[in-house]
Amino acid sequence: MPQPAHPTLATRLNPLKHHAFQRYPLSPILVVDDHPIIAEACRIVLGDVEDVVAARDVPSGYEAFLEHRPGVVILDLTFPGEALGGVDLLHRISSDAPLARILVFSMHADANIVASAIKAGAIGYLLKDSPPDELPKAVRQVRLGHRYVDERINLRGVPLPDHVDSGKVATLTRREREALSLLGQGNSYSAIAEELVITPRAVARLIKQARTKLGIRRTSDLLRRARDLAGGADRSN
């Protein structure tokens, strides 16, 4: 009778087999737009690789954010009776969750409106008349904490924040980033210790230090942040 694969090897081959990933599934995409057709279009474009949930106004959008803790929020700016109400939601989400990844999906191409959205906490800004393949590209970049602005928007001369706060990874030590990235790849503390040639207790200390520096309280948020870091590392190789 064949023996099961070594758990460390199985984890390295398929990180999703790790118990942490089974307990905390990939975070969904939240679409906040008053037009149902937009949410449905996002489901069609992203549905093969992403779980998409939807809300139709600012209050329900905020409630959905608290309930689902999405990996990315796709947000319109204009809602009935609330001119640029999306900016208010941006402020609220960013205030409560500084690590939130928000992509504005709007028809507004005015540079001042775009700048206001970015200053309020948006990481990305995409125009609604973009080709369908631009949305998955924008979502991938925003999920990693990288700024993504529609290339047709002219922001020349418009003051913007100097950088995007992508989870304050730069404040982590090299060892903390390594440990967190390996956790994001689905490795156990023992496997991380073996990879870094340290003890499991030292791994736990590194993860705890990273968690404190990032201001993350929930274990599920820590795992999502680790996955983002691991994904960013994968794309840079």
Side-chain angles (χ1 to χ4, degrees), residues 198-225:
I198 57 178
T199 66
R201 180 175 294 182
V203 172
R205 184 168 61 250
L206 288 171
I207 298 297
K208 182 178 180 180
Q209 289 168 182
R211 183 174 189 161
T212 300
K213 288 182 179 181
L214 295 173
I216 297 176
R217 297 180 180 179
R218 293 157 51 106
T219 301
S220 56
D221 289 341
L222 176 67
L223 291 172
R224 287 166 186 154
R225 186 68 194 92

Side-chain angles (χ1 to χ4, degrees), residues 143-185:
R143 188 186 279 281
L144 291 172
H146 300 162
R147 179 175 291 165
Y148 187 97
V149 178
D150 194 303
E151 62 183 12
R152 295 169 295 171
I153 298 173
N154 183 7
L155 292 175
R156 200 170 299 169
V158 179
L160 292 174
D162 291 334
H163 68 283
V164 174
D165 182 354
S166 60
K168 303 179 183 177
V169 174
T171 67
L172 303 182
T173 67
R174 177 179 60 84
R175 216 55 166 165
E176 289 164 352
R177 289 197 301 272
E178 290 173 345
L180 195 59
S181 179
L182 287 167
L183 181 68
Q185 294 170 33

Side-chain angles (χ1 to χ4, degrees), residues 31 36-50 52 132 135-136:
V31 179
I37 193 171
I38 297 298
E40 189 58 34
C42 289
R43 285 193 178 97
I44 292 171
V45 174
L46 302 170
D48 288 343
V49 293
E50 303 279 5
V52 178
L135 183 59

